[in-house]
Amino acid sequence: MAKTFIFGHQNPDTDAISSAIIMTDFEQSLGNKEAKAYRLGEVGPETQYALDYFKVDAPELLNEDLTDQEVILVDHNEFQQSAETIEKANIKHVVDHHRIANFETSAPLYYRAEPVGCTATILYKMYREEDVEIKPEIAGLMVSAIISDSLLFKSPTCTKEDKEACEALAIIADVDLEQYGLEMLKAGASTTDKSAEELLDMDAKSFNMGDYVTRIGQVNTVDIDEVFDRQDELEKAMLKASAEEKYDIFILLVTDIINSNSKVLVVGSEKDKVAKAFNVSLENDTAFLEGVVSRKKQVVPPVTDALTEEA
């Protein structure tokens, strides 16, 4: 049997890393012993907290050419968010909860996408459908991914299915959701020990929106002002990255995980359109976004609409 590479998106978050590990366990349980989890970036402190708590090793960093290799994508489908040689790979399966864009294959595949808050929720359903045992450490990673993507059920992306899955999995993993969830989220919320470049890159994705390449980064914190005290430094780094990578717009969403609000910093040629997307005015390139916590549901759709509408 050919080796199967399983990985999530670039700049991986807890769902991307966890889902790669979970999907690998699922594949191996069904007989694909050559399945192996990889990552497309460094492991963040929140994710490392979960891995350490459940005593699971981080996946290996993917450095191989994927030409003609068998791959499974989790927690993403857009090629610009994936591995460098993904267009030359043989994509066998996708499990995702995002929009479908910039994606095509030359052969049929299994594609499972559901409008839930987390890829791990879909994987939980797959385990149950195939009657595959969920080990405590795998349940723990599922719990961690759902908590991360739903901000402990506060995000508008969170569905009834996510919450019910997480509650069932917490029993298998033997964790208290509230206590464990807050500790895990706080582990990833410190920003003072990171450079501007690290903050911008730790959870960032690129999107093709009409004629524009838009970069959207998100930083979760317990103190928004702690991040914006470094606004000049962040703006310089955003402009530098935009020039080097040809981003038309760079948006940084700084999210208060306790109070469920965000403040946005925007650079680029179409700042006014981004402001219009949120029905706000930018002051010093920033705006407060009350109740906005989800990039997928509350940022990408309105910004896409604003950038693709005809003048």
Side-chain angles (χ1 to χ4, degrees):
M1 182 176 289
K3 182 178 181 180
T4 304
F5 296 76
I6 303 178
F7 49 88
H9 52 74
Q10 298 171 14
N11 303 315
D13 56 10
T14 300
D15 191 21
I17 294 286
S18 296
S19 290
I21 297 169
I22 296 161
M23 187 68 187
T24 299
D25 177 76
F26 180 78
E27 283 287 301
Q28 290 181 349
S29 297
L30 294 181
N32 183 3
K33 300 303 181 182
E34 297 302 313
K36 183 175 179 179
Y38 289 87
R39 56 185 169 89
L40 301 187
E42 297 306 311
V43 177
E46 177 193 280
T47 309
Q48 193 61 57
Y49 180 91
L51 293 172
D52 290 344
Y53 190 96
F54 294 106
K55 298 180 173 58
V56 179
D57 293 331
E60 180 183 328
L61 184 66
L62 179 62
N63 290 310
E64 298 187 47
D65 184 346
L66 296 176
T67 301
D68 296 328
Q69 297 285 357
E70 184 173 294
V71 305
I72 295 175
L73 306 183
V74 293
D75 199 34
H76 76 297
N77 67 83
E78 298 187 50
F79 281 1
Q80 71 269 25
Q81 298 175 8
S82 197
E84 185 175 345
T85 52
I86 189 61
E87 294 184 30
K88 300 177 182 179
N90 180 15
I91 303 174
K92 302 295 291 184
H93 201 151
V94 176
V95 182
D96 192 18
H97 68 126
H98 296 94
R99 71 174 192 171
I100 301 172
N102 190 27
F103 175 87
E104 63 178 315
T105 63
S106 58
L109 75 160
Y110 291 99
Y111 198 111
R112 182 151 181 173
E114 298 187 25
V116 293
C118 183
T119 302
T121 300
I122 305 171
L123 291 168
Y124 168 69
K125 293 166 70 173
M126 290 166 60
Y127 271 76
R128 295 185 66 192
E129 289 163 4
E130 296 294 333
D131 197 26
V132 175
E133 178 190 3
I134 302 177
K135 307 179 188 74
E137 66 273 19
I138 294 297
L141 292 182
M142 289 180 176
V143 164
S144 302
I146 296 170
I147 288 173
S148 177
D149 269 14
S150 72
L151 290 179
L152 201 52
F153 314 132
K154 293 180 180 178
S155 171
T157 62
C158 184
T159 68
K160 181 181 178 182
E161 289 181 85
D162 296 299
K163 195 169 188 296
E164 289 179 347
C166 203
E167 290 170 347
L169 289 161
I171 296 171
I172 302 173
D174 191 25
V175 292
D176 178 279
L177 286 179
E178 189 73 20
Q179 180 180 348
Y180 171 76
L182 283 174
E183 290 302 315
M184 187 194 76
L185 290 173
K186 287 179 180 178
S190 175
T191 64
T192 55
D193 60 339
K194 298 178 179 66
S195 68
E197 290 76 12
E198 287 173 326
L199 287 176
L200 295 175
D201 219 31
M202 61 192 293
D203 184 10
K205 295 181 179 180
S206 298
F207 301 88
N208 292 329
M209 298 178 174
D211 296 329
Y212 305 102
V213 177
T214 304
R215 184 74 163 175
I216 305 177
Q218 185 168 20
V219 173
N220 290 334
T221 182
V222 294
D223 186 353
I224 287 179
D225 290 339
E226 178 182 273
V227 179
F228 277 88
D229 284 344
R230 304 165 63 183
Q231 181 175 338
D232 288 346
E233 180 187 359
L234 289 166
E235 283 199 68
K236 288 177 183 177
M238 291 165 75
L239 290 168
K240 181 174 183 289
S242 296
E244 292 175 350
E245 302 298 333
K246 310 300 182 187
Y247 305 139
D248 297 294
I249 303 150
F250 201 137
I251 301 169
L252 178 63
L253 188 73
V254 181
T255 300
D256 181 339
I257 61 173
I258 303 299
N259 297 304
S260 300
N261 297 308
S262 293
K263 188 173 181 179
V264 69
L265 173 62
V266 187
V267 302
S269 60
E270 304 297 328
K271 291 187 290 187
D272 290 344
K273 290 185 178 180
V274 174
K276 182 180 178 182
F278 297 116
N279 196 29
V280 296
S281 297
L282 294 176
E283 296 184 11
N284 192 24
D285 296 333
T286 73
F288 182 75
L289 305 179
E290 185 175 357
V292 172
V293 296
S294 170
R295 173 174 51 199
K296 182 180 73 171
K297 191 166 184 177
Q298 295 173 295
V299 179
V300 172
V303 173
T304 300
D305 290 344
L307 294 176
T308 55
E309 68 179 11
E310 295 183 4

